[in-house]
Amino acid sequence: MSTTLYRKAHFNAAHRLFLPQWSDEKNAEVFGKCSNPNYHGHNYELEVGITGSIDPITGFVMDVAELKSIIKTEVEDPFDHKNLNLEVPEFAELIPTVENIAKVIWNKLRGQIDMQYDIIVKLYETPRNYVIYTGP
């Protein structure tokens, strides 16, 4: 039997959805207002779920303080108040859609969280638009 522990976090970031090989017109046709050459921002809300067995000694699935620290180091510090396209290396050649941002976050967390746990990343770009990413 498994249990999922969730930790919420948030970050504010700017981005632009575009392909440099396309014209501004083609980018606007595909990505709409999100292709604004001057970028635009979001207040991202993040929920990270860690699924595993409850430790019979501590009663924890995972120490939430440790999870909080990992999220701060791997997500909040490198993404908060940044232009994702220009300042976050993972998006140098990857369009920072909410789908891709969630995948990048999952990969960054996977590198820091024991393989015994499953990871769920739920990322809200707006209150009505969000994705859930659970791994490759």
Side-chain angles (χ1 to χ4, degrees), residues 17-118:
L17 305 185
F18 77 107
L19 289 169
Q21 65 269 29
W22 289 357
S23 68
D24 284 342
E25 294 75 25
K26 174 73 172 180
N27 277 296
E29 178 185 323
V30 174
F31 299 114
K33 294 189 293 186
C34 295
S35 72
N36 179 349
N38 293 312
Y39 303 89
H40 68 283
H42 296 281
N43 299 317
Y44 292 93
E45 295 294 331
L46 173 65
E47 294 178 17
V48 175
I50 303 299
T51 303
S53 298
I54 298 172
D55 184 292
I57 297 169
T58 65
F60 295 158
V61 170
M62 178 182 182
D63 181 346
V64 75
E66 179 185 0
L67 179 58
K68 175 184 175 183
S69 176
I70 292 169
I71 293 169
K72 182 177 182 337
T73 301
E74 296 298 323
V75 181
E76 292 173 304
D77 290 347
F79 289 12
D80 191 35
H81 284 80
K82 299 290 188 336
N83 181 316
L84 299 177
N85 300 77
L86 302 177
E87 298 178 88
V88 179
E90 290 86 353
F91 299 109
E93 309 234 351
L94 181 65
I95 299 173
T97 61
V98 68
E99 296 90 342
N100 282 335
I101 297 167
K103 183 177 181 180
V104 165
I105 290 170
W106 188 94
N107 284 322
K108 289 170 73 68
L109 297 175
R110 178 77 287 163
Q112 300 299 316
I113 294 173
D114 193 295
M115 292 299 292
Q116 71 176 321
Y117 302 111
D118 290 330

